[in-house]
Amino acid sequence: MELLRKTGRFYKEIIINNIGIFIFIGILSVIFHDYGWFPNENMYAISQLVYHVALPVLISFEGGRKTGGNSGGLTAALAVCGIAAGGTESGLWGALLIGPAAGFLWKYSFQWISCKCKASLQMLVKNLWVAVLAGLMAGMAYAVLTPVMNQFITLLSRFTDMLVEFGMLGTLAFIIEPAKVFFLNNLMNHSILVPLGMSQAAAHGSSVFFLLEANPGPGFGMLGALFLCHKEKRQEYGAAMFTQAVGGLHEVYFPYVLSNLWLLLPLMAGGFAGNLTFQYLHAGLQGPVSPGSVVTILLMAGKNTWLFALAGLAVSTAVSFAGSLLVLKMTTKSNNTVSKEISTHDKSPVNNINEEKNMKIQRIAVVCDGGVGTSAMGASILRRRLAQEKLTGIQVDAYAADLIPDGIDLIVCQKDLYDHLPEKLKSDIGPSREIYTAGSLLTAASYDGLVCLLRERGR
């Protein structure tokens, strides 16, 4: 399970760092496609050139850079040209495979080579080895990987056609919705659905796969039911609904589901109903959306399908809302349990506190699974809280759980994420580093305990 999470985080960072390219392709398609707002053959051709050439090269570079530094990225960018030369539609899939592999091979092969040559020759050898290794990998990609990827894309197309033909697209919700709640959404979306959607969009102009994980309807409907059932928490639930639907941060509703796992059922039902609606109305997006908000979904849907996309969102919201109401009514204790548990989590104590109360905290890392979205918004909320309390001299930044740098004094994470943090990170918690767990990173009340701690230390 941890390997799956690491894989998902790895590919999410690659995709997120280049998300502007995906949006560029999608926007040009929305506006200048034959069925776009202002059809223009030449402008649409630019988006296809970026898709077939620039996107694989930049994605491959990012993958190679993450595993082998800048030289590894350069090797990967050159190696993926072997796939582009094969005229294949699988450039993105190939880039996701060959990029990290090229960076890895560069890193460890050059370590061995550098030990065998004089220091005065290392710069020359380094540049020559980039060219040689990239050439070898490009040739291998052209001769071996391209035919394999072409066959893979053919089988994948048949599989997706089968899902549509037999009306099975909706069943993916029974995998996607639980995966989102248990922090596997990165693996599902960025490692599988986005590449699959890009291939389908290149062939058909749009893809329903961009809608499946990004759909905010199930979470919005569940939050609406909680809003209706818990009058004393309506301000909190209302803020969560706005953040989830308009801001596109789905993580905001995860703590409520994890406090009452019966709520997974209406989430899956809402996702199932929404997916079927998307399928039967032939709704699709012309590029991936990040974050998955109503605004970005309607923007990327285009003029001919935005109403169908909106219908799918509405159906999934309605089904999730009705199902969540039923669950909350049937599970009598949950009417109080959800709110109480979330409140308890919000005021959860700081874990692994250093007993030296005068220890200064100067750098705080707000952490989530991918390092963007929830943690970034949480860091912003915490900065405002510190400013309001006149607690100065504290730097607050957002990070992915496996990319926390040295020099961090305090880690802040969602309580439900704590068990999924890398073991090395938790083993490092001690005299020089502490951790604070919150029920939700997106509510100001979650940081009450932390503010009290900082105030006690005389900050």
Side-chain angles (χ1 to χ4, degrees):
M1 188 67 74
E2 183 58 30
L3 178 62
L4 293 177
R5 290 194 183 94
K6 287 182 179 179
T7 302
R9 284 195 296 264
F10 179 81
Y11 281 114
K12 177 175 182 176
E13 289 163 15
I14 292 177
I15 297 294
I16 287 295
N17 289 342
N18 292 277
I19 196 65
I21 309 170
F22 292 91
I23 296 175
F24 174 87
I25 296 170
I27 287 179
L28 288 189
S29 298
V30 167
I31 298 175
F32 300 113
H33 191 269
D34 291 343
Y35 301 101
W37 295 96
F38 305 101
N40 185 298
E41 182 179 349
N42 294 327
M43 291 299 295
Y44 178 69
I46 294 175
S47 73
Q48 296 308 291
L49 179 64
V50 172
Y51 171 72
H52 289 292
V53 180
L55 180 62
V57 169
L58 291 171
I59 289 292
S60 187
F61 175 85
E62 184 68 19
R65 186 190 65 80
K66 286 181 66 63
T67 56
N70 286 334
S71 295
L74 179 59
T75 304
L78 295 172
V80 82
C81 292
I83 295 177
T88 177
E89 292 291 334
S90 58
L92 178 57
W93 291 99
L96 291 172
L97 290 174
I98 203 171
F104 180 86
L105 286 175
W106 152 260
K107 179 179 179 180
Y108 288 99
S109 62
F110 184 70
Q111 282 180 357
W112 182 82
I113 292 173
S114 62
C115 294
K116 306 294 182 181
C117 67
K118 296 180 179 180
S120 59
L121 297 176
Q122 283 198 9
M123 181 62 72
L124 173 63
V125 172
K126 177 182 177 180
N127 292 327
L128 285 174
W129 185 237
V130 167
V132 171
L133 181 60
L136 291 172
M137 295 197 71
M140 183 202 69
Y142 179 82
V144 179
L145 189 58
T146 294
V148 172
M149 293 302 297
N150 283 337
Q151 187 64 31
F152 171 74
I153 291 297
T154 300
L155 293 175
L156 198 60
S157 298
R158 291 176 182 173
F159 174 71
T160 55
D161 290 342
M162 182 193 71
L163 288 179
V164 174
E165 181 180 353
F166 292 98
M168 298 174 61
L169 195 64
T171 59
L172 293 179
F174 299 114
I175 301 174
I176 292 173
E177 296 304 325
K180 288 164 67 175
V181 172
F182 290 104
F183 302 100
L184 290 173
N185 53 318
N186 295 332
L187 180 70
M188 290 298 304
N189 194 33
H190 298 94
S191 304
I192 301 173
L193 295 176
V194 168
L196 189 60
M198 292 300 292
S199 297
Q200 191 178 66
H204 304 291
S206 65
S207 175
V208 69
F209 290 102
F210 295 135
L211 283 165
L212 302 187
E213 192 273 343
N215 181 7
F220 187 77
M222 187 211 70
L223 289 171
L226 290 171
F227 179 87
L228 186 64
C229 291
H230 301 293
K231 295 180 181 179
E232 72 282 1
K233 302 280 285 184
R234 283 187 175 176
Q235 183 176 0
E236 177 182 327
Y237 292 133
M241 291 170 70
F242 180 85
T243 300
Q244 202 263 327
V246 180
L249 300 180
H250 297 199
E251 293 91 340
V252 71
Y253 68 82
F254 295 174
Y256 304 111
V257 182
L258 293 170
S259 295
N260 183 358
L261 289 176
W262 287 106
L263 290 172
L264 272 175
L265 296 177
L267 281 177
M268 291 187 290
F272 177 79
N275 292 352
L276 287 183
T277 304
F278 294 142
Q279 177 182 334
Y280 288 116
L281 293 180
H282 302 289
L285 304 183
Q286 298 183 35
V289 291
S290 181
S293 76
V294 175
V295 176
T296 53
I297 285 174
L298 295 182
L299 175 66
M300 299 299 284
K303 71 175 183 178
N304 292 324
T305 59
W306 72 267
L307 191 59
F308 301 147
L310 186 61
L313 301 185
V315 168
S316 59
T317 299
V319 171
S320 178
F321 175 77
S324 298
L325 279 181
L326 182 62
V327 167
L328 292 173
K329 295 297 183 183
M330 291 180 65
T331 56
T332 307
K333 291 183 179 180
S334 69
N335 286 337
N336 298 319
T337 300
V338 172
S339 291
K340 287 183 178 178
E341 289 192 7
I342 293 300
S343 297
T344 301
H345 290 176
D346 286 346
K347 297 177 182 178
S348 58
V350 179
N351 299 312
N352 298 303
I353 284 296
N354 190 306
E355 304 210 350
E356 297 179 17
K357 294 296 184 181
N358 60 350
M359 175 184 171
K360 292 183 178 181
I361 294 177
Q362 296 178 315
R363 294 187 65 190
I364 297 177
V366 182
V367 173
C368 70
D369 195 44
V372 295
T374 306
S375 60
M377 189 169 178
S380 177
I381 293 171
L382 180 55
R383 289 190 203 103
R384 286 199 298 269
R385 283 297 310 274
L386 297 180
Q388 291 168 0
E389 299 292 335
K390 295 182 171 50
L391 296 170
T392 59
I394 302 174
Q395 180 180 340
V396 181
D397 296 300
Y399 296 99
D402 56 347
L403 294 176
I404 299 175
D406 295 332
I408 295 296
D409 302 313
L410 177 70
I411 296 171
V412 178
C413 74
Q414 197 160 290
K415 185 171 184 179
D416 300 304
L417 180 64
Y418 180 79
D419 291 337
H420 305 301
L421 292 178
E423 288 301 323
K424 183 180 183 304
L425 176 62
K426 288 189 283 190
S427 65
D428 289 342
I429 301 298
S432 61
R433 180 181 287 181
E434 303 168 294
I435 191 163
Y436 175 83
T437 58
S440 171
L441 297 180
L442 304 180
T443 58
S446 301
Y447 303 102
D448 288 346
L450 178 56
V451 170
C452 290
L453 169 73
L454 296 174
R455 197 182 291 117
E456 286 174 4
R457 297 193 180 181
R459 299 298 300 171

mmCIF file with all atom_site columns, all heavy atoms in Angstrom, residues 130-150:
data_model
loop_
_atom_site.group_PDB
_atom_site.id
_atom_site.type_symbol
_atom_site.label_atom_id
_atom_site.label_alt_id
_atom_site.label_comp_id
_atom_site.label_asym_id
_atom_site.label_entity_id
_atom_site.label_seq_id
_atom_site.pdbx_PDB_ins_code
_atom_site.Cartn_x
_atom_site.Cartn_y
_atom_site.Cartn_z
_atom_site.occupancy
_atom_site.B_iso_or_equiv
_atom_site.pdbx_formal_charge
_atom_site.auth_seq_id
_atom_site.auth_comp_id
_atom_site.auth_asym_id
_atom_site.auth_atom_id
_atom_site.pdbx_PDB_model_num
ATOM 1   N N   . VAL A 1 130 ? 25.971 11.759 -21.405 1.00 0.00 ? 130 VAL A N   1
ATOM 2   C CA  . VAL A 1 130 ? 24.579 12.176 -21.618 1.00 0.00 ? 130 VAL A CA  1
ATOM 3   C C   . VAL A 1 130 ? 24.164 11.850 -23.047 1.00 0.00 ? 130 VAL A C   1
ATOM 4   O O   . VAL A 1 130 ? 23.098 11.269 -23.297 1.00 0.00 ? 130 VAL A O   1
ATOM 5   C CB  . VAL A 1 130 ? 24.397 13.682 -21.338 1.00 0.00 ? 130 VAL A CB  1
ATOM 6   C CG1 . VAL A 1 130 ? 23.054 14.173 -21.868 1.00 0.00 ? 130 VAL A CG1 1
ATOM 7   C CG2 . VAL A 1 130 ? 24.471 13.971 -19.838 1.00 0.00 ? 130 VAL A CG2 1
ATOM 8   N N   . ALA A 1 131 ? 25.019 12.229 -23.996 1.00 0.00 ? 131 ALA A N   1
ATOM 9   C CA  . ALA A 1 131 ? 24.702 12.007 -25.412 1.00 0.00 ? 131 ALA A CA  1
ATOM 10  C C   . ALA A 1 131 ? 24.650 10.518 -25.755 1.00 0.00 ? 131 ALA A C   1
ATOM 11  O O   . ALA A 1 131 ? 23.725 10.057 -26.434 1.00 0.00 ? 131 ALA A O   1
ATOM 12  C CB  . ALA A 1 131 ? 25.726 12.715 -26.287 1.00 0.00 ? 131 ALA A CB  1
ATOM 13  N N   . VAL A 1 132 ? 25.617 9.759  -25.249 1.00 0.00 ? 132 VAL A N   1
ATOM 14  C CA  . VAL A 1 132 ? 25.672 8.330  -25.565 1.00 0.00 ? 132 VAL A CA  1
ATOM 15  C C   . VAL A 1 132 ? 24.497 7.585  -24.955 1.00 0.00 ? 132 VAL A C   1
ATOM 16  O O   . VAL A 1 132 ? 23.817 6.798  -25.631 1.00 0.00 ? 132 VAL A O   1
ATOM 17  C CB  . VAL A 1 132 ? 27.011 7.725  -25.091 1.00 0.00 ? 132 VAL A CB  1
ATOM 18  C CG1 . VAL A 1 132 ? 26.989 6.201  -25.212 1.00 0.00 ? 132 VAL A CG1 1
ATOM 19  C CG2 . VAL A 1 132 ? 28.180 8.299  -25.883 1.00 0.00 ? 132 VAL A CG2 1
ATOM 20  N N   . LEU A 1 133 ? 24.250 7.813  -23.648 1.00 0.00 ? 133 LEU A N   1
ATOM 21  C CA  . LEU A 1 133 ? 23.171 7.111  -22.977 1.00 0.00 ? 133 LEU A CA  1
ATOM 22  C C   . LEU A 1 133 ? 21.815 7.498  -23.568 1.00 0.00 ? 133 LEU A C   1
ATOM 23  O O   . LEU A 1 133 ? 20.948 6.638  -23.791 1.00 0.00 ? 133 LEU A O   1
ATOM 24  C CB  . LEU A 1 133 ? 23.193 7.420  -21.472 1.00 0.00 ? 133 LEU A CB  1
ATOM 25  C CG  . LEU A 1 133 ? 22.115 6.729  -20.628 1.00 0.00 ? 133 LEU A CG  1
ATOM 26  C CD1 . LEU A 1 133 ? 22.251 5.208  -20.730 1.00 0.00 ? 133 LEU A CD1 1
ATOM 27  C CD2 . LEU A 1 133 ? 22.211 7.176  -19.170 1.00 0.00 ? 133 LEU A CD2 1
ATOM 28  N N   . ALA A 1 134 ? 21.636 8.799  -23.855 1.00 0.00 ? 134 ALA A N   1
ATOM 29  C CA  . ALA A 1 134 ? 20.375 9.247  -24.457 1.00 0.00 ? 134 ALA A CA  1
ATOM 30  C C   . ALA A 1 134 ? 20.185 8.610  -25.829 1.00 0.00 ? 134 ALA A C   1
ATOM 31  O O   . ALA A 1 134 ? 19.070 8.201  -26.189 1.00 0.00 ? 134 ALA A O   1
ATOM 32  C CB  . ALA A 1 134 ? 20.354 10.767 -24.567 1.00 0.00 ? 134 ALA A CB  1
ATOM 33  N N   . GLY A 1 135 ? 21.266 8.524  -26.618 1.00 0.00 ? 135 GLY A N   1
ATOM 34  C CA  . GLY A 1 135 ? 21.170 7.890  -27.934 1.00 0.00 ? 135 GLY A CA  1
ATOM 35  C C   . GLY A 1 135 ? 20.793 6.424  -27.843 1.00 0.00 ? 135 GLY A C   1
ATOM 36  O O   . GLY A 1 135 ? 19.949 5.933  -28.601 1.00 0.00 ? 135 GLY A O   1
ATOM 37  N N   . LEU A 1 136 ? 21.423 5.704  -26.906 1.00 0.00 ? 136 LEU A N   1
ATOM 38  C CA  . LEU A 1 136 ? 21.102 4.294  -26.718 1.00 0.00 ? 136 LEU A CA  1
ATOM 39  C C   . LEU A 1 136 ? 19.644 4.099  -26.295 1.00 0.00 ? 136 LEU A C   1
ATOM 40  O O   . LEU A 1 136 ? 18.943 3.232  -26.822 1.00 0.00 ? 136 LEU A O   1
ATOM 41  C CB  . LEU A 1 136 ? 22.027 3.686  -25.654 1.00 0.00 ? 136 LEU A CB  1
ATOM 42  C CG  . LEU A 1 136 ? 23.514 3.542  -26.043 1.00 0.00 ? 136 LEU A CG  1
ATOM 43  C CD1 . LEU A 1 136 ? 24.330 3.105  -24.841 1.00 0.00 ? 136 LEU A CD1 1
ATOM 44  C CD2 . LEU A 1 136 ? 23.663 2.549  -27.196 1.00 0.00 ? 136 LEU A CD2 1
ATOM 45  N N   . MET A 1 137 ? 19.180 4.934  -25.374 1.00 0.00 ? 137 MET A N   1
ATOM 46  C CA  . MET A 1 137 ? 17.806 4.793  -24.881 1.00 0.00 ? 137 MET A CA  1
ATOM 47  C C   . MET A 1 137 ? 16.788 5.225  -25.938 1.00 0.00 ? 137 MET A C   1
ATOM 48  O O   . MET A 1 137 ? 15.709 4.652  -26.048 1.00 0.00 ? 137 MET A O   1
ATOM 49  C CB  . MET A 1 137 ? 17.616 5.590  -23.591 1.00 0.00 ? 137 MET A CB  1
ATOM 50  C CG  . MET A 1 137 ? 18.446 5.070  -22.428 1.00 0.00 ? 137 MET A CG  1
ATOM 51  S SD  . MET A 1 137 ? 17.883 5.678  -20.836 1.00 0.00 ? 137 MET A SD  1
ATOM 52  C CE  . MET A 1 137 ? 16.344 4.777  -20.653 1.00 0.00 ? 137 MET A CE  1
ATOM 53  N N   . ALA A 1 138 ? 17.144 6.259  -26.736 1.00 0.00 ? 138 ALA A N   1
ATOM 54  C CA  . ALA A 1 138 ? 16.244 6.684  -27.808 1.00 0.00 ? 138 ALA A CA  1
ATOM 55  C C   . ALA A 1 138 ? 16.087 5.576  -28.839 1.00 0.00 ? 138 ALA A C   1
ATOM 56  O O   . ALA A 1 138 ? 14.977 5.309  -29.329 1.00 0.00 ? 138 ALA A O   1
ATOM 57  C CB  . ALA A 1 138 ? 16.757 7.965  -28.452 1.00 0.00 ? 138 ALA A CB  1
ATOM 58  N N   . GLY A 1 139 ? 17.213 4.931  -29.177 1.00 0.00 ? 139 GLY A N   1
ATOM 59  C CA  . GLY A 1 139 ? 17.146 3.819  -30.124 1.00 0.00 ? 139 GLY A CA  1
ATOM 60  C C   . GLY A 1 139 ? 16.322 2.657  -29.581 1.00 0.00 ? 139 GLY A C   1
ATOM 61  O O   . GLY A 1 139 ? 15.517 2.053  -30.307 1.00 0.00 ? 139 GLY A O   1
ATOM 62  N N   . MET A 1 140 ? 16.510 2.350  -28.300 1.00 0.00 ? 140 MET A N   1
ATOM 63  C CA  . MET A 1 140 ? 15.733 1.286  -27.678 1.00 0.00 ? 140 MET A CA  1
ATOM 64  C C   . MET A 1 140 ? 14.252 1.644  -27.644 1.00 0.00 ? 140 MET A C   1
ATOM 65  O O   . MET A 1 140 ? 13.383 0.800  -27.906 1.00 0.00 ? 140 MET A O   1
ATOM 66  C CB  . MET A 1 140 ? 16.230 1.022  -26.261 1.00 0.00 ? 140 MET A CB  1
ATOM 67  C CG  . MET A 1 140 ? 15.521 -0.122 -25.560 1.00 0.00 ? 140 MET A CG  1
ATOM 68  S SD  . MET A 1 140 ? 15.638 -0.020 -23.759 1.00 0.00 ? 140 MET A SD  1
ATOM 69  C CE  . MET A 1 140 ? 14.617 1.409  -23.422 1.00 0.00 ? 140 MET A CE  1
ATOM 70  N N   . ALA A 1 141 ? 13.963 2.910  -27.348 1.00 0.00 ? 141 ALA A N   1
ATOM 71  C CA  . ALA A 1 141 ? 12.576 3.355  -27.302 1.00 0.00 ? 141 ALA A CA  1
ATOM 72  C C   . ALA A 1 141 ? 11.916 3.219  -28.670 1.00 0.00 ? 141 ALA A C   1
ATOM 73  O O   . ALA A 1 141 ? 10.764 2.785  -28.783 1.00 0.00 ? 141 ALA A O   1
ATOM 74  C CB  . ALA A 1 141 ? 12.505 4.798  -26.816 1.00 0.00 ? 141 ALA A CB  1
ATOM 75  N N   . TYR A 1 142 ? 12.677 3.593  -29.720 1.00 0.00 ? 142 TYR A N   1
ATOM 76  C CA  . TYR A 1 142 ? 12.124 3.525  -31.077 1.00 0.00 ? 142 TYR A CA  1
ATOM 77  C C   . TYR A 1 142 ? 11.902 2.083  -31.521 1.00 0.00 ? 142 TYR A C   1
ATOM 78  O O   . TYR A 1 142 ? 10.866 1.740  -32.099 1.00 0.00 ? 142 TYR A O   1
ATOM 79  C CB  . TYR A 1 142 ? 13.077 4.223  -32.046 1.00 0.00 ? 142 TYR A CB  1
ATOM 80  C CG  . TYR A 1 142 ? 12.610 4.200  -33.479 1.00 0.00 ? 142 TYR A CG  1
ATOM 81  C CD1 . TYR A 1 142 ? 11.674 5.122  -33.934 1.00 0.00 ? 142 TYR A CD1 1
ATOM 82  C CD2 . TYR A 1 142 ? 13.091 3.252  -34.372 1.00 0.00 ? 142 TYR A CD2 1
ATOM 83  C CE1 . TYR A 1 142 ? 11.231 5.109  -35.247 1.00 0.00 ? 142 TYR A CE1 1
ATOM 84  C CE2 . TYR A 1 142 ? 12.665 3.222  -35.687 1.00 0.00 ? 142 TYR A CE2 1
ATOM 85  C CZ  . TYR A 1 142 ? 11.730 4.156  -36.124 1.00 0.00 ? 142 TYR A CZ  1
ATOM 86  O OH  . TYR A 1 142 ? 11.297 4.119  -37.418 1.00 0.00 ? 142 TYR A OH  1
ATOM 87  N N   . ALA A 1 143 ? 12.870 1.216  -31.230 1.00 0.00 ? 143 ALA A N   1
ATOM 88  C CA  . ALA A 1 143 ? 12.818 -0.155 -31.745 1.00 0.00 ? 143 ALA A CA  1
ATOM 89  C C   . ALA A 1 143 ? 11.980 -1.093 -30.872 1.00 0.00 ? 143 ALA A C   1
ATOM 90  O O   . ALA A 1 143 ? 11.345 -2.018 -31.390 1.00 0.00 ? 143 ALA A O   1
ATOM 91  C CB  . ALA A 1 143 ? 14.238 -0.720 -31.866 1.00 0.00 ? 143 ALA A CB  1
ATOM 92  N N   . VAL A 1 144 ? 11.978 -0.861 -29.568 1.00 0.00 ? 144 VAL A N   1
ATOM 93  C CA  . VAL A 1 144 ? 11.327 -1.804 -28.650 1.00 0.00 ? 144 VAL A CA  1
ATOM 94  C C   . VAL A 1 144 ? 10.099 -1.207 -27.975 1.00 0.00 ? 144 VAL A C   1
ATOM 95  O O   . VAL A 1 144 ? 9.006  -1.780 -28.019 1.00 0.00 ? 144 VAL A O   1
ATOM 96  C CB  . VAL A 1 144 ? 12.338 -2.297 -27.580 1.00 0.00 ? 144 VAL A CB  1
ATOM 97  C CG1 . VAL A 1 144 ? 11.655 -3.261 -26.610 1.00 0.00 ? 144 VAL A CG1 1
ATOM 98  C CG2 . VAL A 1 144 ? 13.543 -2.948 -28.235 1.00 0.00 ? 144 VAL A CG2 1
ATOM 99  N N   . LEU A 1 145 ? 10.292 -0.037 -27.348 1.00 0.00 ? 145 LEU A N   1
ATOM 100 C CA  . LEU A 1 145 ? 9.201  0.516  -26.537 1.00 0.00 ? 145 LEU A CA  1
ATOM 101 C C   . LEU A 1 145 ? 8.030  0.995  -27.380 1.00 0.00 ? 145 LEU A C   1
ATOM 102 O O   . LEU A 1 145 ? 6.868  0.822  -27.004 1.00 0.00 ? 145 LEU A O   1
ATOM 103 C CB  . LEU A 1 145 ? 9.740  1.656  -25.667 1.00 0.00 ? 145 LEU A CB  1
ATOM 104 C CG  . LEU A 1 145 ? 8.786  2.200  -24.606 1.00 0.00 ? 145 LEU A CG  1
ATOM 105 C CD1 . LEU A 1 145 ? 8.352  1.100  -23.648 1.00 0.00 ? 145 LEU A CD1 1
ATOM 106 C CD2 . LEU A 1 145 ? 9.439  3.342  -23.830 1.00 0.00 ? 145 LEU A CD2 1
ATOM 107 N N   . THR A 1 146 ? 8.322  1.598  -28.532 1.00 0.00 ? 146 THR A N   1
ATOM 108 C CA  . THR A 1 146 ? 7.239  2.128  -29.369 1.00 0.00 ? 146 THR A CA  1
ATOM 109 C C   . THR A 1 146 ? 6.267  1.049  -29.821 1.00 0.00 ? 146 THR A C   1
ATOM 110 O O   . THR A 1 146 ? 5.048  1.215  -29.677 1.00 0.00 ? 146 THR A O   1
ATOM 111 C CB  . THR A 1 146 ? 7.816  2.877  -30.589 1.00 0.00 ? 146 THR A CB  1
ATOM 112 O OG1 . THR A 1 146 ? 8.514  4.033  -30.134 1.00 0.00 ? 146 THR A OG1 1
ATOM 113 C CG2 . THR A 1 146 ? 6.705  3.309  -31.524 1.00 0.00 ? 146 THR A CG2 1
ATOM 114 N N   . PRO A 1 147 ? 6.714  -0.092 -30.358 1.00 0.00 ? 147 PRO A N   1
ATOM 115 C CA  . PRO A 1 147 ? 5.757  -1.146 -30.717 1.00 0.00 ? 147 PRO A CA  1
ATOM 116 C C   . PRO A 1 147 ? 4.963  -1.654 -29.517 1.00 0.00 ? 147 PRO A C   1
ATOM 117 O O   . PRO A 1 147 ? 3.763  -1.930 -29.630 1.00 0.00 ? 147 PRO A O   1
ATOM 118 C CB  . PRO A 1 147 ? 6.644  -2.247 -31.307 1.00 0.00 ? 147 PRO A CB  1
ATOM 119 C CG  . PRO A 1 147 ? 7.884  -1.561 -31.741 1.00 0.00 ? 147 PRO A CG  1
ATOM 120 C CD  . PRO A 1 147 ? 8.083  -0.455 -30.765 1.00 0.00 ? 147 PRO A CD  1
ATOM 121 N N   . VAL A 1 148 ? 5.643  -1.784 -28.377 1.00 0.00 ? 148 VAL A N   1
ATOM 122 C CA  . VAL A 1 148 ? 4.938  -2.253 -27.170 1.00 0.00 ? 148 VAL A CA  1
ATOM 123 C C   . VAL A 1 148 ? 3.881  -1.252 -26.747 1.00 0.00 ? 148 VAL A C   1
ATOM 124 O O   . VAL A 1 148 ? 2.746  -1.620 -26.410 1.00 0.00 ? 148 VAL A O   1
ATOM 125 C CB  . VAL A 1 148 ? 5.948  -2.497 -26.025 1.00 0.00 ? 148 VAL A CB  1
ATOM 126 C CG1 . VAL A 1 148 ? 5.220  -2.796 -24.716 1.00 0.00 ? 148 VAL A CG1 1
ATOM 127 C CG2 . VAL A 1 148 ? 6.875  -3.642 -26.375 1.00 0.00 ? 148 VAL A CG2 1
ATOM 128 N N   . MET A 1 149 ? 4.225  0.042  -26.759 1.00 0.00 ? 149 MET A N   1
ATOM 129 C CA  . MET A 1 149 ? 3.278  1.072  -26.353 1.00 0.00 ? 149 MET A CA  1
ATOM 130 C C   . MET A 1 149 ? 2.119  1.166  -27.337 1.00 0.00 ? 149 MET A C   1
ATOM 131 O O   . MET A 1 149 ? 0.972  1.395  -26.937 1.00 0.00 ? 149 MET A O   1
ATOM 132 C CB  . MET A 1 149 ? 3.983  2.426  -26.244 1.00 0.00 ? 149 MET A CB  1
ATOM 133 C CG  . MET A 1 149 ? 5.012  2.511  -25.122 1.00 0.00 ? 149 MET A CG  1
ATOM 134 S SD  . MET A 1 149 ? 4.316  2.165  -23.493 1.00 0.00 ? 149 MET A SD  1
ATOM 135 C CE  . MET A 1 149 ? 3.143  3.493  -23.330 1.00 0.00 ? 149 MET A CE  1
ATOM 136 N N   . ASN A 1 150 ? 2.390  0.991  -28.621 1.00 0.00 ? 150 ASN A N   1
ATOM 137 C CA  . ASN A 1 150 ? 1.307  1.000  -29.603 1.00 0.00 ? 150 ASN A CA  1
ATOM 138 C C   . ASN A 1 150 ? 0.312  -0.125 -29.337 1.00 0.00 ? 150 ASN A C   1
ATOM 139 O O   . ASN A 1 150 ? -0.911 0.062  -29.412 1.00 0.00 ? 150 ASN A O   1
ATOM 140 C CB  . ASN A 1 150 ? 1.880  0.872  -31.014 1.00 0.00 ? 150 ASN A CB  1
ATOM 141 C CG  . ASN A 1 150 ? 2.470  2.164  -31.532 1.00 0.00 ? 150 ASN A CG  1
ATOM 142 O OD1 . ASN A 1 150 ? 2.116  3.239  -31.063 1.00 0.00 ? 150 ASN A OD1 1
ATOM 143 N ND2 . ASN A 1 150 ? 3.385  2.067  -32.478 1.00 0.00 ? 150 ASN A ND2 1
#
